[in-house]
Amino acid sequence: MTRPSTAQSPPPRTRSLYSRLHWLIAAALLPLLVIGVIAIVLTARDYRRNSEQRLQETAVALARGVDQGIRENINQLHLLAVLAPHGDPASPGLQAWSGTNAEVRLVRDGSDEAQSLPTPVLRDARRTGQAQVSNLFSDTTGAPPEVAIALPFTDSTGQPQVIALVQPSNRLINTILHSADEASLLVAVVDSNGMIAARSRNPERFIGQPAPDWYKLQLNGGNAGVFEATTKEGKGTVLAFHKLHAAPGWALVVGEPQSSFQARWQRPLLGVILGGLLAAIIALFSARAIARSILLPIRALAQRGRNIASSEGTPADPPTSRITEVQSLQTSLNDSVDALKRSADEARALARDLKVSEQRYRAVAEAGALVLWESDRNGQVRSVTGWRELTGLPEQDALGKGWLRRVNEEDLAPIEIALEQSFTAGTPLDVEFRVLDLYGKWRWLRARGARVGPEQSGWAGVLEDVDARRQAQARIAYLAQHDPLTSLPNRTVLFEKLEHALADARRGRHSALLLLDLDRFKEVNDTLGHPTGDRLLQEVAHRLLGCARSNDVVARLGGDEFAILMAPESRPPEAAASLATRVVEALGRPFELEGHPIAISASIGIVLIDNLADSSEKLMRNADLALYRAKEEGRGCYRFFEAEMDTRMQLRRQLETELRAGLEQQQFVLHYQPLVDLQQRRVTGFEALLRWNHPQRGLLDPGQFLALAEDIGLMIPLGDWVLRQATRDAAHWPDEMKVAVNLSVSQLAQPDLADTVEKALADAGLAAARLELEITENALIANIQAASSHLLRLKVAGVSIVMDDFGTGYSSLGYLRAFPFDKVKIDKSFIRDLGEHSQGSAIIGAVSHLCGKLGITATIEGVETHSQLSQLKDEHCAEGQGYVFGRPMPVEQIRAFMRQWPQRWQATD
């Protein structure tokens, strides 16, 4: 019989650690790849949505621009209806407007030209009482299409009228074409019939034709949207549209070629895809490298265990692992256990030594030491470590005296002194010096050391790199004495130099100080921005250096203020005047910055530094006084300091203090001078005139303090007080009496001017028709853009707008045409010599006649004698004002004045 054999279980099937790591890497990367694909799909959708949103936002912005243009046309029709209420083409206002708008026609309802307009636009304007915009039309065959804007209004006789503004339709987008982000965009306007009314490309070819794919826009249904279409040129385009509010049914369309639209969102998507692929590849290789880094040490450890293992017995084997490499490792480790135990104590001792060494190294590193060195007493280096890392040079070059050949010559003496002092006094060595490295750069080092060796005959120490600290210190010292924008010396350096100049002056070496201030520099900052202003200051500094000599000091004190301290001169006044002339001429030449021509000027104050000068502060103050005089006398010039300037300035400052106190303590009062209708022989109102009831100097006229109030910023609160007080006083007068109030330059520049006036009227309970606002021509010139809208709003509310001092400026007649004034006050200079020269009488008569034609009341100021009054009656002037009728009086005397008025008028006959 055959004996059965003993059955043994087969060893478990094993896999290498290498293959298992690869399976682990694949399992980890697969979810990341799936997530990456999903992220790319979502990113593509978001990029396309962003591109569509960007195109839609462009359409919305441009549609607002077109709406604004249509509203401006409607506002023009409102103004033209006021200028020519009967629609008379011969009206001066319409003729002036037509001269500046050649492409636009005005058509009045009922005229022959009105027959060519679409019937619904005029009918709807009359029916609704609101402005209407027509669809595209053409009045003659072959004529370019046009669009009409009709406005209903009531003429001066109370009859309803309609006036239409007809213009080429492409003008609707002319003002917004510059707003397109890219030249590739197509901008068009489509009327409610789907006809192209305006187009940025080839308008002469396609205006008046049906818009392609119009039905897609209608199917969209909303006020805005995006869709794909084909242009008139046959190119695929992505279109965004936005319905116009000012023209119902009209739409503005912005198109972008499909190629550029697709590229806008596909290009960044391609970058995302490429980045994802690159990241996946990097991750794959990194994972492979990690797998190898895990596997190879294990194999090495197993091999090391075999090498360490001795011939002694080993412990029992642990359970067998399924990983072949781990099985080998387990066998090796079992064999090396005893060897590791024997070496444990040695490893602990080695670890203690290593820790101590690490602590020493860390202490040296934290102290910033880069080079360790040893030398004898004479500086002969015997050993050096780290010289190459510090300088790039071989360490052999530093041995002996070699290191001294790289030291800056200026630092050799301090090094020798430090060595000698340290040896003599027994103190540690500490000295800083510069070394030239391999790259030609001087680097600051700090050498610290102490005597070592037998009888302390040598040195040992470290070298630290302190170059960054030294450079930072040098930079701080430079900034403490220089202006960072222009690199000129600053105020601190100037005052130091002034002290030297004062010392030279006491020894008979006289000089001069020039203080400069740029005129109109604030306008540059306000209009072109502060970066351009900074560039201008740099150019000014460059020109000033070109005007001054090399031994003069040119400094910037701050803002737009500069100073030049001249070197001692044999004839300081002549030299200072010559330098100031050169500076004024140099800074008066235009600057060209970023394509903008900039014109400024400089005002200069000069003070001589002679043996009478006693302090830097007083020199600066006197130069500032001379500078103030230069600005007072026209700017763009220079003035020398004179002693009387100080007295004048002290009086001005005293008056400024008293003026502020006067406003706080309500020392101001109003006097009223009558305005007389020369035809009806009655008082029509009073002009409010400001007076200052000064505690010591009595009643002061405006000429003694108004200019100062304007300079120091008190005109706005002072003017507001005059307006409120005058309206309150006038509210107690008869209803037919008006009050006239003067507006200053500062008030005209206020953005809330109209609100301030309306609030004063409401608080006083005074009708707007009883208020006249007087504006000088100079004030209007300074604020024409800012003030026009406010004045027009007040005029519509019923307030009368008056041009004061007519004839003293340069463009009075031009302003009469540009702005609808209610009254003109002819300056008193024309009536002053009325009896001696015929020109004054002729001018007054001509202006009165012109005002009568324009529907403007003409008032003559400064009527002081009965003979002047007689001549004014002959010239048929409408209104007069002056001492012959009555002097300015407190409000309490007005009632008595009105009772006595009939007797006063008889006295003038």
Side-chain angles (χ1 to χ4, degrees):
M1 296 180 59
T2 305
R3 185 176 60 184
S5 60
T6 304
Q8 294 181 356
S9 60
R13 185 180 178 183
T14 62
R15 294 180 181 272
S16 68
L17 180 60
Y18 192 80
S19 62
R20 290 177 178 271
L21 287 175
H22 276 77
W23 280 107
L24 178 62
I25 293 169
L29 288 180
L30 183 59
L32 295 178
L33 290 176
V34 174
I35 294 173
V37 171
I38 296 174
I40 289 173
V41 173
L42 296 178
T43 301
R45 185 180 64 184
D46 291 341
Y47 278 168
R48 181 177 177 88
R49 286 180 178 174
N50 290 340
S51 296
E52 290 178 352
Q53 183 178 0
R54 178 178 177 273
L55 195 61
Q56 184 65 65
E57 289 173 352
T58 302
V60 172
L62 297 182
R64 289 174 181 169
V66 174
D67 281 332
Q68 182 62 30
I70 294 175
R71 293 190 187 98
E72 289 178 358
N73 287 335
I74 295 173
N75 291 337
Q76 285 188 5
L77 285 174
H78 279 291
L79 182 58
L80 292 173
V82 174
L83 294 176
H86 297 291
D88 184 7
S91 169
L94 290 183
Q95 289 182 348
W97 181 87
S98 299
T100 59
N101 297 271
E103 295 182 346
V104 183
R105 296 183 291 121
L106 289 176
V107 178
R108 183 170 55 86
D109 188 14
S111 65
D112 293 338
E113 290 185 75
Q115 302 301 322
S116 62
L117 301 182
T119 303
V121 69
L122 299 176
R123 184 188 63 234
D124 292 345
R126 287 191 297 269
R127 179 175 56 82
T128 63
Q130 297 179 352
Q132 300 292 325
V133 181
S134 75
N135 285 323
L136 200 65
F137 72 93
S138 178
D139 58 346
T140 59
T141 303
E146 298 176 309
V147 64
I149 302 174
L151 175 72
F153 71 101
T154 304
D155 63 15
S156 58
T157 63
Q159 295 299 319
Q161 298 286 342
V162 179
I163 187 172
L165 185 149
V166 183
Q167 59 183 325
S169 59
N170 213 50
R171 290 183 83 243
L172 295 174
I173 66 171
N174 285 344
T175 58
I176 64 165
L177 285 180
H178 67 279
S179 300
D181 293 338
E182 300 174 5
S184 62
L185 293 181
L186 170 67
V187 182
V189 177
V190 183
D191 68 7
S192 60
N193 292 330
M195 307 301 289
I196 299 177
R199 199 173 193 266
S200 62
R201 295 184 194 161
N202 302 323
E204 68 282 355
R205 182 178 173 188
F206 296 112
I207 288 180
Q209 296 186 16
D213 295 333
W214 170 250
Y215 72 95
K216 293 184 178 179
L217 188 148
Q218 293 177 311
L219 289 176
N220 194 285
N223 289 329
V226 179
F227 61 94
E228 295 185 359
T230 303
T231 65
K232 298 294 288 186
E233 292 89 347
K235 297 180 179 179
T237 306
V238 178
L239 298 177
F241 74 92
H242 189 81
K243 297 294 185 65
L244 299 182
H245 298 291
W250 287 51
L252 182 134
V253 182
V254 177
E256 183 175 15
Q258 284 189 353
S259 58
S260 61
F261 178 83
Q262 301 291 355
R264 175 171 287 112
W265 68 270
Q266 290 177 353
R267 190 178 297 114
L269 180 62
L270 180 60
V272 172
I273 295 173
L274 292 177
L277 290 176
L278 181 61
I281 293 172
I282 293 174
L284 183 60
F285 279 96
S286 300
R288 183 180 177 86
I290 293 172
R292 288 177 59 85
S293 67
I294 295 173
L295 181 60
L296 292 179
I298 293 177
R299 288 177 175 173
L301 184 60
Q303 184 61 41
R304 183 184 177 196
R306 294 191 195 95
N307 296 336
I308 297 174
S310 64
S311 57
E312 296 180 0
T314 58
D317 294 337
T320 305
S321 173
R322 292 179 179 272
I323 301 175
T324 305
E325 290 80 4
V326 175
Q327 289 179 353
S328 176
L329 177 63
Q330 289 172 340
T331 303
S332 301
L333 290 177
N334 290 335
D335 294 337
S336 60
V337 167
D338 292 339
L340 292 175
K341 288 181 178 179
R342 288 193 300 269
S343 61
D345 293 338
E346 297 176 1
R348 293 190 188 95
L350 181 61
R352 286 194 298 270
D353 295 340
L354 182 61
K355 184 176 181 180
V356 172
S357 176
E358 180 183 1
Q359 290 174 346
R360 291 174 181 171
Y361 174 78
R362 186 179 300 276
V364 174
E366 289 177 352
L370 295 177
V371 179
L372 303 176
W373 55 272
E374 291 185 19
S375 71
D376 61 14
R377 174 174 180 175
N378 298 320
Q380 294 278 353
V381 174
R382 295 192 291 261
S383 67
V384 62
T385 302
W387 182 259
R388 180 188 297 275
E389 289 76 9
L390 181 64
T391 64
L393 298 168
E395 294 183 351
Q396 305 89 281
D397 292 358
L399 298 177
K401 290 285 188 177
W403 67 280
L404 286 173
R405 290 193 290 270
R406 311 300 296 183
V407 176
N408 192 293
E409 292 183 359
E410 297 178 359
D411 300 331
L412 291 174
I415 291 175
E416 293 185 5
I417 294 173
L419 287 170
E420 186 63 31
Q421 288 179 347
S422 181
F423 243 91
T424 303
T427 58
L429 174 68
D430 193 346
V431 62
E432 294 184 2
F433 52 90
R434 286 163 291 178
V435 170
L436 185 64
D437 64 15
L438 178 64
Y439 310 104
K441 177 185 176 182
W442 289 106
R443 184 182 296 275
W444 278 98
L445 303 179
R446 180 185 182 187
R448 290 187 295 170
R451 293 183 295 177
V452 295
E455 299 180 358
Q456 296 187 344
S457 59
W459 294 93
V462 295
L463 283 179
E464 298 176 77
D465 186 348
V466 295
D467 192 66
R469 173 172 61 79
R470 279 285 194 156
Q471 290 186 9
Q473 291 173 344
R475 179 62 178 167
I476 292 172
Y478 179 85
L479 291 177
Q481 296 185 329
H482 290 80
D483 171 48
L485 178 63
T486 61
S487 298
L488 293 177
N490 59 14
R491 183 183 293 269
T492 302
V493 174
L494 178 65
F495 272 83
E496 291 176 359
K497 298 296 183 181
L498 280 175
E499 293 298 329
H500 294 307
L502 287 170
D504 288 340
R506 297 186 192 101
R507 293 191 292 266
R509 303 177 64 214
H510 299 168
S511 57
L513 172 66
L514 286 70
L515 192 61
L516 293 78
D517 189 84
L518 303 183
D519 305 322
R520 299 188 299 278
F521 177 74
K522 184 177 182 299
E523 299 174 12
V524 177
N525 269 345
D526 293 342
T527 57
L528 300 179
H530 288 278
T532 302
D534 290 345
R535 285 280 298 115
L536 177 60
L537 290 174
Q538 292 171 341
E539 290 297 323
V540 167
H542 179 72
R543 292 192 184 182
L544 289 177
L545 291 172
C547 295
R549 300 167 301 177
S550 59
N551 54 349
D552 294 336
V553 177
V554 180
R556 182 188 177 210
L557 305 183
D560 60 346
E561 194 173 19
F562 295 82
I564 301 178
L565 176 59
M566 296 180 60
E569 277 280 350
S570 58
R571 302 175 67 184
E574 292 81 356
S578 176
L579 175 57
T581 301
R582 293 197 304 272
V583 169
V584 170
E585 292 176 354
L587 299 186
R589 295 194 303 270
F591 294 81
E592 185 73 23
L593 296 178
E594 300 174 357
H596 299 286
I598 299 176
I600 60 171
S601 60
S603 299
I604 304 176
I606 305 174
V607 60
L608 299 178
I609 305 177
D610 51 23
N611 50 8
L612 298 178
D614 53 6
S615 70
S616 302
E617 291 77 10
K618 188 172 182 179
L619 286 174
M620 289 294 295
R621 185 169 61 85
N622 292 344
D624 194 48
L625 292 174
L627 172 62
Y628 180 79
R629 172 64 65 85
K631 284 186 171 292
E632 264 191 340
E633 297 184 1
R635 309 190 177 208
C637 60
Y638 65 88
R639 292 292 181 266
F640 281 88
F641 170 74
E642 299 172 358
E644 58 89 15
M645 292 181 183
D646 195 12
T647 304
R648 246 180 98 192
M649 181 55 66
Q650 305 230 352
L651 293 175
R652 173 188 168 90
R653 287 173 179 164
Q654 180 182 355
L655 184 61
E656 177 182 337
T657 302
E658 294 173 349
L659 191 58
R660 295 183 187 278
L663 185 60
E664 293 177 359
Q665 299 171 13
Q666 300 182 353
Q667 296 175 0
F668 293 94
V669 295
L670 291 182
H671 284 198
Y672 294 90
Q673 188 172 27
L675 299 168
V676 178
D677 187 324
L678 300 180
Q679 306 302 321
Q680 300 182 13
R681 302 184 177 187
R682 66 181 182 88
V683 177
T684 59
F686 292 86
E687 179 181 0
L689 301 173
L690 183 63
R691 298 291 187 266
W692 182 8
N693 194 4
H694 195 280
Q696 288 81 35
R697 300 164 61 184
L699 201 63
L700 301 182
D701 290 335
Q704 298 175 268
F705 61 85
L706 274 190
L708 178 59
E710 188 78 55
D711 287 345
I712 63 177
L714 289 183
M715 272 310 302
I716 293 177
L718 195 56
D720 290 347
W721 177 85
V722 171
L723 179 64
R724 293 193 303 271
Q725 187 63 43
T727 51
R728 284 197 296 265
D729 290 345
H732 300 288
W733 302 345
D735 291 343
E736 68 275 7
M737 302 286 287
K738 293 186 175 184
V739 63
V741 177
N742 292 276
L743 292 183
S744 67
V745 176
S746 301
Q747 288 175 285
L748 278 179
Q750 291 301 299
D752 58 347
L753 171 62
D755 295 333
T756 301
V757 174
E758 290 173 348
K759 186 177 186 304
L761 290 170
D763 292 345
L766 185 71
R770 295 181 59 193
L771 175 63
E772 294 181 349
L773 296 179
E774 297 190 3
I775 307 159
T776 65
E777 184 177 347
N778 291 333
L780 189 61
I781 291 173
N783 299 280
I784 182 63
Q785 297 297 331
S788 293
S789 60
H790 298 296
L791 296 180
L792 188 59
R793 170 180 161 185
L794 292 172
K795 178 177 174 63
V796 171
V799 177
S800 298
I801 309 300
V802 182
M803 177 179 280
D804 197 7
D805 298 339
F806 180 82
T808 58
Y810 300 99
S811 307
S812 297
L813 294 178
Y815 284 116
L816 289 182
R817 182 183 65 179
F819 190 87
F821 287 98
D822 298 283
K823 181 188 290 187
V824 166
K825 298 184 75 172
I826 303 174
D827 188 69
K828 58 187 177 183
S829 60
F830 292 100
I831 199 174
R832 188 176 297 139
D833 55 354
L834 192 61
E836 302 175 3
H837 303 286
S838 60
Q839 293 91 339
S841 177
I843 292 173
I844 292 173
V847 173
S848 299
H849 180 73
L850 175 63
C851 289
K853 290 292 185 181
L854 295 176
I856 299 174
T857 302
T859 301
I860 314 300
E861 295 182 297
V863 185
E864 298 182 356
T865 66
H866 290 82
S867 62
Q868 291 174 344
L869 178 59
S870 299
Q871 294 186 52
L872 292 179
K873 293 177 182 177
D874 296 337
E875 297 295 343
H876 304 286
C877 296
E879 194 175 65
Q881 179 182 0
Y883 289 169
V884 72
F885 304 115
R887 292 180 176 272
M889 65 193 77
V891 67
E892 296 82 6
Q893 299 178 11
I894 290 180
R895 190 179 299 275
F897 174 83
M898 294 302 298
R899 286 197 303 268
Q900 300 170 4
W901 171 247
Q903 293 81 8
R904 283 179 172 272
W905 178 261
Q906 291 177 2
T908 63
D909 288 339

